Amino acid sequence: MDVERLLRLNARPMLQLADFVLGDPSAAEDAVEHAFVAAWRRRKRLKDETTFRPWLRRIVLRECLRWRRHPVFRVLALTDHVVIHAAATAESKAATAVKRLPPWVRAALFLHVHEGLAIDQVASELRVRQSTVETRLREVSGLESRILQYVAARAGQISESQADALVSRAAARRSRRRGWASYLVNLASAVTLVLVIIATGVVLQAQLHLFQAPAPVGTGSGPLPPIPNEVVNLINASEDSGLIIPFRLRDAKPLRPRSRWIVAPNIALRLTPASDCSRTTVSLVDPVTQQDVRPQVTLPGCDDTPVTLPDGTVLLDQAQSEATHYFRSGTVVIRYDWRTGHTVKQYPNLALPINGGLVSRDGQILYTLDLFSVNTTLDVTDLASGASLAHVSMVLADSGAGGGLALSTDQRTVFVNQGHQLASFDARSGAAGPVVAFKDPYASPVSTRPWWLPTMSELEAQALDPSRGIAVDPRGRWVAAVGYSDPQLQGIWLIGTSGRLHLVRRFYQSAALRALSFSLDGSVLYALDASGLFLFDPETGRTIKRFAYPATLGAYGIAGVQSP
């Protein structure tokens, strides 16, 4: 089978598909090039040439979704996103409707409208239920003719020569010889790239501070709180998503990476799904050495997004196919007991978003807020019965680290950071409570970012933290929240909880904030942004210290605080 010939025959349709799914021409080229290299490596698995196109299409879709979720690719591709084609920015109902659809629905729409596949064929291609495809496509009913024109216009921008050049680049990548000279060249290139990225980061940091409003001078002149003798657990993009880097404040020392999902003292959970989602290997390992401490267990499907409950059991999002796993559609949630190696309960009507969930202290209630969905909802679920206690539609700002939920210290209120305001709800019924808007009387008019710039929420999708943009003082005095990345809203907003919710102050007006957390006694507020880990005095808003070390500069989130 002449795989290169088949790739050239299908290159333009695959590039058109990727461009429609990702909404970005340069990103589409990256994804398709990776897909073609992957297809070449897997070519021996394909026996029938007639099935090559749908087989290749699945690989391309998988790479598109991986590209969207990987923060490193999004950051490195920022400079390629300044050229926007007319069809992508056309202010039309069709363009707006398509832009709001999840990636897998865009793929279904493209296959049905542009490729001419029937609904059952689209469902088979994407490996989802036909009823699911029909339901999601109804969201754009009435716009079929306009969407057809929009798809055709966007697809027409992809030329044969552009697609052919992409195949040539992919062929050059997979045909490179791997001798010692090649490895030395690669090593030198990697070192050069690291130096360029570091230099770019310094420049970018300086540019970010040019665009942020001046940090207000903190009130008060008394002594600052001492630096806590604590360890801040950092989620780092260079590490496995299941590992964290403990950063010890006392001597500013990053400790050895350890497992994030601790289920018992000296026992951590590690999940390894098979590439085809036929099974997941569950390992119980030492958190530091990663050595097995108990025999491995196999669960069906792809299991991920663990949420540990107080009784030691773990909630897992389970998908039965590659498509449902990557598209996050049609999954179920299981409750897994690692001590027995068995599933003790299933929740067929529940799904865990990729940023996980928040559990009440007694383990009875699960709170979820999908930070990466267009139709965001706050869901409150009774874990004993599986019943939905509340399903509240939410509007989140679409840029910056704004977003996240947290429980009050008395467990009676759930707070939601919407990026432009702090909302509160009854933790049991979901009934709406007081709202505090992020308003500064001296702020300038709103200046929104273009929709095509990648949002901070997409950049940090792998942080998997349901409370990344919000933190509650352990003593119950304040809630700290990160505002939307706009001059009028960006920065840290401190809301007082004594009596009725009220705005206390706004400080450190940075557009690059990523996560917040309080110290164990509430005397210090930790804030993570592109320039390092900051320690603030919440009483006055003054800066105590900034840690600008590689471990802190590469971090995307805070996974808790602990004693050393």
Side-chain angles (χ1 to χ4, degrees):
M1 186 184 303
D2 189 347
V3 175
E4 186 167 335
R5 175 183 63 83
L6 294 173
L7 287 176
R8 292 189 185 279
L9 286 175
N10 291 279
R12 188 167 181 248
M14 296 301 118
L15 193 52
Q16 291 170 335
L17 170 63
D19 175 64
F20 189 75
V21 171
L22 293 173
D24 186 298
S26 61
E29 290 193 13
D30 287 343
V32 173
E33 184 177 334
H34 280 273
F36 282 6
V37 173
W40 175 265
R41 291 170 181 165
R42 303 174 192 171
R43 66 190 183 281
K44 293 183 180 179
R45 303 181 187 179
L46 192 67
K47 305 300 180 183
D48 185 0
E49 187 173 313
T50 61
T51 62
F52 182 84
R53 186 162 181 166
W55 174 77
L56 179 63
R57 199 151 43 202
R58 283 193 292 271
I59 297 176
V60 169
L61 284 172
R62 185 182 304 118
E63 290 298 328
C64 287
L65 292 171
R66 285 178 177 170
W67 193 94
R68 278 183 63 88
R69 291 177 182 170
H70 202 296
V72 176
F73 282 124
R74 298 307 303 264
V75 171
L76 294 181
L78 278 173
T79 54
D80 297 330
H81 294 177
V82 295
V83 179
I84 303 299
H85 293 264
T89 57
E91 291 298 328
S92 66
K93 290 183 179 180
T96 302
V98 168
K99 185 175 66 176
R100 290 175 177 171
L101 295 173
W104 82 267
V105 182
R106 294 186 204 175
L109 187 63
F110 185 90
L111 296 178
H112 181 55
V113 173
H114 187 73
E115 297 281 348
L117 273 63
I119 297 294
D120 59 337
Q121 292 175 304
V122 173
S124 175
E125 186 100 351
L126 299 179
R127 297 182 180 178
V128 296
R129 290 176 294 185
Q130 182 175 335
S131 60
T132 302
V133 177
E134 292 172 343
T135 300
R136 296 313 300 265
L137 291 185
R138 286 195 203 104
E139 297 178 18
V140 293
S141 60
L143 295 173
E144 289 84 352
S145 59
R146 293 185 182 183
I147 287 177
L148 181 59
Q149 294 174 1
Y150 172 70
V151 175
R154 187 162 192 121
Q157 296 172 354
I158 307 296
S159 66
E160 289 286 357
S161 60
Q162 183 181 358
D164 196 63
L166 190 148
V167 177
S168 299
R169 291 200 303 270
R173 281 184 56 189
R174 50 93 175 164
S175 62
R176 291 174 187 151
R177 298 188 63 180
R178 293 287 180 180
W180 281 105
S182 176
Y183 282 114
L184 290 175
V185 170
N186 288 343
L187 179 61
S189 300
V191 172
T192 303
L193 178 60
V194 168
L195 293 176
V196 170
I197 291 174
I198 292 173
T200 303
V202 173
V203 174
L204 180 60
Q205 178 184 336
Q207 290 177 336
L208 284 173
H209 283 285
L210 287 177
F211 287 99
Q212 72 182 51
V217 178
T219 58
S221 57
L224 290 169
I227 296 176
N229 183 21
E230 294 176 353
V231 173
V232 180
N233 295 317
L234 302 176
I235 306 168
N236 195 291
S238 64
E239 297 292 337
D240 184 291
S241 60
L243 298 177
I244 57 175
I245 297 180
F247 185 77
R248 191 166 60 201
L249 299 176
R250 182 183 64 228
D251 51 4
K253 181 179 180 180
L255 306 179
R256 186 175 176 182
R258 68 172 182 84
S259 297
R260 184 175 176 189
W261 297 304
I262 307 295
V263 293
N266 301 318
I267 300 179
L269 186 74
R270 187 174 65 199
L271 303 170
T272 311
S275 59
D276 60 355
C277 274
S278 60
R279 66 191 179 281
T280 295
T281 302
V282 181
S283 305
L284 295 166
V285 300
D286 180 279
V288 177
T289 65
Q290 300 298 301
Q291 298 298 314
D292 289 337
V293 297
R294 294 200 179 193
Q296 293 180 339
V297 175
T298 300
L299 292 176
C302 276
D303 298 85
D304 62 6
T305 321
V307 176
T308 305
L309 303 182
D311 65 358
T313 58
V314 182
L315 297 179
L316 299 173
D317 200 64
Q318 187 175 82
Q320 297 301 327
S321 69
E322 287 181 85
T324 53
H325 181 232
Y326 287 115
F327 299 144
R328 311 295 293 193
S329 174
T331 62
V332 299
V333 173
I334 64 170
R335 189 166 181 166
Y336 175 72
D337 190 336
W338 59 270
R339 290 157 297 204
T340 63
H342 294 102
T343 298
V344 296
K345 191 175 182 62
Q346 284 193 341
Y347 302 92
N349 299 318
L350 181 62
L352 286 172
I354 60 176
N355 53 288
L358 186 66
V359 181
S360 60
R361 194 177 297 143
D362 59 10
Q364 297 299 310
I365 308 294
L366 173 71
Y367 306 89
T368 57
L369 180 72
D370 192 343
L371 301 179
F372 314 107
S373 171
V374 174
N375 302 312
T376 303
T377 58
L378 167 66
D379 286 283
V380 183
T381 305
D382 184 334
L383 291 177
S385 64
S388 174
L389 302 179
H391 181 76
V392 184
S393 296
M394 303 294 300
V395 176
L396 299 184
D398 62 355
S399 182
L405 63 143
L407 280 167
S408 61
T409 53
D410 62 8
Q411 303 283 290
R412 296 171 60 184
T413 305
V414 58
F415 299 107
V416 178
N417 177 9
Q418 295 181 256
H420 63 286
Q421 65 182 18
L422 180 76
S424 65
F425 300 87
D426 184 274
R428 297 288 166 169
S429 67
V435 173
V436 178
F438 299 163
K439 290 184 179 179
D440 189 329
Y442 304 103
S444 58
V446 174
S447 173
T448 57
R449 288 157 52 109
W451 68 265
W452 42 266
L453 279 179
T455 68
M456 186 69 74
S457 59
E458 289 176 333
L459 289 175
E460 297 173 0
Q462 290 192 345
L464 299 176
D465 183 2
S467 57
R468 66 196 176 93
I470 186 172
V472 174
D473 167 30
R475 295 164 61 184
R477 298 166 295 174
W478 307 298
V479 178
V482 176
Y484 165 78
S485 292
D486 179 271
Q488 187 177 8
L489 297 170
Q490 67 194 26
I492 300 173
W493 298 81
L494 195 71
I495 291 90
T497 59
S498 59
R500 190 172 180 85
L501 292 180
H502 58 281
L503 181 62
V504 176
R505 69 176 52 86
R506 174 193 183 193
F507 58 98
Y508 192 61
Q509 298 173 37
S510 167
L513 284 162
R514 295 171 174 173
L516 297 175
S517 184
F518 276 98
S519 61
L520 296 177
D521 63 0
S523 64
V524 172
L525 177 65
Y526 303 117
L528 191 65
D529 83 349
S531 61
L533 175 65
F534 284 78
L535 277 63
F536 292 105
D537 175 10
E539 292 273 8
T540 63
R542 291 182 295 167
T543 302
I544 301 171
K545 187 174 179 62
R546 176 171 74 98
F547 293 95
Y549 295 86
T552 59
L553 291 175
Y556 275 86
I558 299 175
V561 179
Q562 65 186 59
S563 300

